[in-house]
């Protein structure tokens, strides 16, 4: 009998592939664009029901317009579960709002922080109260100037690899160890909840080169996979335009992160960071894992 991991991956990849190919524009190859795929796992495979664009408490989207390609990930704060709140719903609704705004071209490609703010504002205005908290990371490729514009709040993030080296990466935002910046909508009476504004997101702008590899992921990847191992894996698909090969790379990163997250003897990036904060930790950090992978075709 196939394992939970294999069953989940088979089902998720089928749905993800349909979503990604549905978003792909039928345009000449002379157009500058992202070639994008997604992969990942919820932490608790046996207890999670698959939903497109959702990996446990994580959420993601890939969308495009005539002027831009957009990648997004969000990580719901799991602590809300003890209050009877689904931590993944906040992240999922936030990303769906952002995706819809992109598809209807109701956003400025050079100001992704405004996209996060608009998605968050719509979430707060929802007739059904969507309670919880989430990180968010948005990466936009603006075709007009062949540049990338990013906005990141919390400890999800991105790295850009070129010729086997990181040329750009997001800056993690933490209030203190393992407590990232986050967008929040707490239940009434919860006045002591961390709640950061969308405008507190780190923003960056830079040009890209043909063949650059872009990884946008939640902390389930960065907390468990050493950065050098990530770079070595991403280097293999520099300049790759074949979505199947990109999907295989995304799958390998997701599987690697999941395997290391449950390795109690592995000195993970999370454990190393804990030790820097005077916490004696060892092993990976079991978590939801979301991988959105893209290459740049100019």
């Amino acid at each position: 009998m196939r394992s939970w991991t294999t069953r989940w991956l088979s089902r998720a990849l089928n749905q993800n592939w349909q979503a990604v190919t549905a978003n792909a524009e039928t345009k000449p190859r002379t157009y500058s664009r992202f070639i994008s795929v997604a992969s990942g796992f919820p932490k608790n495979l046996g207890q999670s029901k698959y939903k497109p664009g959702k990996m446990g408490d994580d959420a993601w989207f890939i969308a495009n317009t005539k002027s831009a390609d957009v990648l997004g990930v969000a990580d719901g704060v799991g602590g809300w579960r003890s209050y009877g709140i689904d931590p993944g719903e906040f992240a999922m609704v936030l990303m769906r709002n952002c995706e819809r705004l992109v598809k209807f071209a109701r956003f400025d490609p050079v100001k992704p922080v405004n996209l996060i703010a608009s998605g968050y504002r719509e979430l707060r205005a929802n007739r059904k109260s969507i309670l919880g908290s989430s990180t968010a990371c948005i990466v936009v490729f603006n075709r007009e100037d062949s540049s990338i514009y990013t906005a990141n709040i919390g400890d999800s993030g991105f790295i850009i690899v070129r010729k086997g080296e990181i040329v750009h990466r997001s800056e993690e935002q933490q209030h203190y160890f393992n407590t990232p910046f986050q967008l929040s909508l707490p239940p009434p009476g919860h006045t002591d909840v961390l709640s950061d504004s969308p405008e507190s997101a780190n923003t960056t702008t830079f040009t890209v080169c043909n063949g650059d590899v872009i990884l946008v992921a939640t902390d389930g990847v960065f907390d468990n996979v050493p950065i050098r191992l990530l770079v070595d894996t991403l280097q293999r698909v520099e300049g790759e335009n074949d979505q199947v090969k990109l999907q295989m790379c995304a799958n390998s990163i997701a599987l690697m992160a999941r395997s290391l997250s449950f390795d109690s003897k592995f000195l993970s990036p999370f454990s190393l960071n804990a030790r820097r904060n005077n916490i004696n930790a060892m092993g990976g950090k079991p978590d939801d894992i979301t991988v959105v992978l893209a290459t740049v075709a100019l």
Side-chain angles (χ1 to χ4, degrees):
M1 185 176 66
R2 293 185 300 172
S3 67
W4 273 109
T5 300
T6 305
R7 288 203 299 268
W8 175 274
L9 188 59
S10 296
R11 180 173 52 183
L13 288 182
N14 181 55
Q15 295 292 331
N16 291 349
W17 186 261
Q18 291 178 16
V20 169
T21 53
N23 276 318
E25 295 182 22
T26 55
K27 51 181 176 283
R29 287 195 173 269
T30 52
Y31 275 65
S32 300
R33 67 202 187 282
F34 276 166
I35 300 169
S36 312
V37 297
S39 188
F41 298 99
K43 178 173 68 174
N44 300 310
L45 284 174
Q47 301 173 15
S48 298
K49 293 182 179 180
Y50 179 76
K51 291 183 179 180
K54 189 172 185 290
M55 301 289 184
D57 297 339
D58 290 355
W60 62 274
F61 77 93
I62 297 172
N64 54 54
T65 67
K66 291 181 178 180
S67 62
D69 291 327
V70 187
L71 315 176
V73 299
D75 180 2
V77 176
W80 287 109
R81 191 169 282 105
S82 61
Y83 294 91
I85 295 171
D86 176 4
E89 185 176 21
F90 187 100
M92 182 180 69
V93 173
L94 176 64
M95 290 293 95
R96 284 183 176 176
N97 287 349
C98 291
E99 180 180 18
R100 185 178 64 257
L101 289 166
V102 171
K103 288 182 175 180
F104 284 96
R106 293 169 56 192
F107 82 112
D108 185 346
V110 304
K111 294 181 179 179
V113 66
N114 290 354
L115 177 59
I116 293 176
S118 296
Y120 178 53
R121 186 166 54 248
E122 287 195 7
L123 185 151
R124 292 176 63 89
N126 199 305
R127 290 181 180 179
K128 175 190 174 185
S129 293
I130 309 297
L131 305 177
S133 307
S134 174
T135 67
C137 181
I138 299 289
V139 174
V140 180
F141 174 62
N142 184 29
R143 274 186 266 281
E144 184 175 334
D145 59 6
S146 294
S147 293
I148 283 183
Y149 297 82
T150 77
N152 183 62
I153 182 164
D155 59 0
S156 296
F158 67 87
I159 60 174
I160 315 293
V161 172
R162 180 187 304 154
K163 296 181 180 179
E165 299 294 336
I166 295 176
V167 291
H168 300 285
R169 68 182 300 179
S170 55
E171 181 180 342
E172 189 176 274
Q173 293 179 309
Q174 296 273 3
H175 288 284
Y176 44 88
F177 175 66
N178 205 30
T179 306
F181 279 37
Q182 54 202 260
L183 305 174
S184 300
L185 184 56
H190 287 66
T191 58
D192 58 345
V193 173
L194 289 173
S195 184
D196 300 286
S197 70
E199 290 73 23
S200 65
N202 283 328
T203 60
T204 57
T205 304
F206 45 87
T207 57
V208 288
C209 295
N210 187 52
D212 282 356
V213 185
I214 301 165
L215 171 67
V216 187
T218 53
D219 65 335
V221 174
F222 298 116
D223 280 345
N224 289 298
V225 185
I227 196 68
R228 190 65 247 176
L229 185 53
L230 275 177
V231 172
D232 289 345
T233 304
L234 294 171
Q235 183 181 9
R236 299 170 194 164
V237 292
E238 284 190 48
E240 184 57 69
N241 292 338
D242 186 340
Q243 274 190 306
V244 173
K245 292 181 180 178
L246 287 178
Q247 188 68 65
M248 291 172 65
C249 181
N251 296 350
S252 69
I253 292 172
L255 285 164
M256 186 162 42
R258 179 167 176 80
S259 176
L260 292 173
S261 74
F262 287 100
D263 187 341
S264 61
K265 298 180 180 180
F266 172 58
L267 188 57
S268 65
F270 178 82
S271 294
L272 287 170
N273 196 18
R275 293 185 179 196
R276 295 187 192 102
N277 286 271
N278 300 314
I279 300 171
N280 188 18
M282 188 68 179
K285 179 193 176 189
D287 202 351
D288 303 305
I289 292 161
T290 298
V291 173
V292 178
L293 180 64
T295 55
V296 178
L298 299 181

